[in-house]
Amino acid sequence: MDNNLVRCKRVTKEDYEKVMAIFPPSEIYNGGDYLPDEFHMLIDMPNNEMYAAVIGDKYVGFGLFTTVDDGKSVINRAGRVSKEYAGKGINRIMIKWMDKGGPLYRPEVLWHKTTVIRTHTPLLQLIIKGKYNKTLEQDFRYYETHKRTLQMKYNVIKNENQSLKAEYIDVNLLGQVLTSTVHQQYLFPEDEIVVAMVPYMASKSNAPLIISKRTTVVVSDLNCPQRTLLSISNFHQAPFGTVFNFNVYGCLSENIKEHLILHFAKFLCRPMSKYILLRGILSKGTSWKFLDSAVEEFDLKRTESYGTGLVSVRRRITSKL
């Protein structure tokens, strides 16, 4: 590919259709693509920037970059290349352009981070070669149901569990939890938390970035660090249905049922598709016993979907213009 044919530009809201036309969303993540639904929400967030690779007037590549960690880290959050230009170096051209002084590579940025599905071969090869260092790994498990079934089960279970120890927390309390030295070893031993495939340092400044208008945060046993359980959910409409992401940190126990009650209370008020896919996300090696048992009460069934886990990596940016 002749680099001179490709220009990189900042994406605006008016570019939505051109970005969606780069690659069929129904073929991304087995139909679980979040970008069509979240594009406008993400582009409005001050720490997100979107860029496109353009040949002539055709958009052939796309990248979503997120700044976190007090501006010290930039995450390559999403990327796609059109089928016509697959394997022709479009993504490499975009990354090289960013590395050579693109808008996100400002003087304060120290780290280039990303999170990918565990089986992403190109990134695994870069880890082996020492180009990136692994910072966190998590496991996935998928469950499926339908909105009507979940609503009926939720109503019954909520009525049977009127008194809950678990509670919602806001951005201020989340910031306190993220920086609590007594909780860190139990919740974030790697000093990192991943939400919506974005890796954040466990710092107070990241709390407002973690909580979007689609995010719910619940905690229990906060006064007993060894038993503290923190759960974070978000959702998006995908081509095949609604995807409900459920991240869990800390001591997974029977309390997870109370967490689900509170998360579903917020989730079921939203417009959604009839089909619902819940993705449970736990620290690598955590037993699924308690989550399996809890979701079974809500009549969610185990299923297979895209990926079995994720890997977060980073590399230090050593040179800039």
Side-chain angles (χ1 to χ4, degrees), residues 68-70 73 113 135-136 171 173-195 198-210 230 232 249 314:
V68 300
D69 305 339
D70 291 310
S73 301
K113 301 164 69 174
T135 56
L136 186 69
V171 64
L173 187 50
L174 175 60
Q176 294 176 36
V177 173
L178 290 173
T179 55
S180 169
T181 55
V182 296
H183 289 89
Q184 185 178 36
Q185 62 179 308
Y186 303 106
L187 297 178
F188 319 113
E190 294 88 359
D191 193 31
E192 190 164 83
I193 175 173
V194 176
V195 179
V198 177
Y200 304 87
M201 289 183 61
S203 65
K204 186 176 181 179
S205 65
N206 280 327
L209 307 180
I210 291 172
L230 178 75
I232 304 176
Y249 293 90
R314 70 178 185 177

Side-chain angles (χ1 to χ4, degrees), residues 61-80:
F62 171 82
L64 165 60
F65 297 86
T66 298
T67 303
V68 300
D69 305 339
D70 291 310
K72 294 182 175 64
S73 301
V74 60
I75 291 93
N76 187 358
R77 185 169 178 174
R80 52 196 62 186

Side-chain angles (χ1 to χ4, degrees), residues 29 34 38 41-42 45 47-48 64-66 75-79 113-115 195-198 200:
Y29 305 135
Y34 65 88
E38 295 192 351
M41 180 185 77
L42 293 171
M45 296 175 67
N47 64 317
N48 290 331
L64 165 60
F65 297 86
T66 298
I75 291 93
N76 187 358
R77 185 169 178 174
K113 301 164 69 174
T114 192
T115 298
V195 179
M197 297 292 282
V198 177
Y200 304 87

Side-chain angles (χ1 to χ4, degrees), residues 97-152:
W97 176 74
M98 299 297 291
D99 270 333
K100 288 188 174 182
L104 281 176
Y105 281 79
R106 302 172 179 114
E108 65 273 19
V109 177
L110 300 177
W111 300 98
H112 182 204
K113 301 164 69 174
T114 192
T115 298
V116 298
I117 298 300
R118 182 182 283 142
T119 53
H120 186 71
T121 302
L123 186 61
L124 296 179
Q125 292 175 346
L126 291 175
I127 295 174
I128 293 172
K129 294 177 180 179
K131 301 292 186 180
Y132 282 87
N133 295 318
K134 186 191 301 184
T135 56
L136 186 69
E137 191 167 354
Q138 294 179 310
D139 295 332
F140 293 161
R141 184 166 286 191
Y142 293 91
Y143 312 86
E144 63 181 357
T145 188
H146 289 82
K147 180 181 180 181
R148 185 176 180 183
T149 300
L150 180 58
Q151 184 71 67
M152 292 172 59

Side-chain angles (χ1 to χ4, degrees), residues 154 164 166-168 214-219 230-235 244-248 256-270 278:
Y154 164 77
L164 302 177
E167 58 182 338
Y168 298 113
R214 296 189 180 186
T215 307
T216 301
V217 186
V218 176
V219 71
L230 178 75
S231 59
I232 304 176
S233 69
N234 54 71
F235 70 95
F244 180 83
N245 292 301
F246 188 61
N247 289 80
V248 180
I256 195 64
K257 178 179 174 180
E258 294 191 4
H259 284 241
L260 284 170
I261 292 172
L262 293 178
H263 284 281
F264 287 152
K266 300 284 190 180
F267 173 60
L268 288 169
C269 294
R270 313 273 193 159
L278 185 151

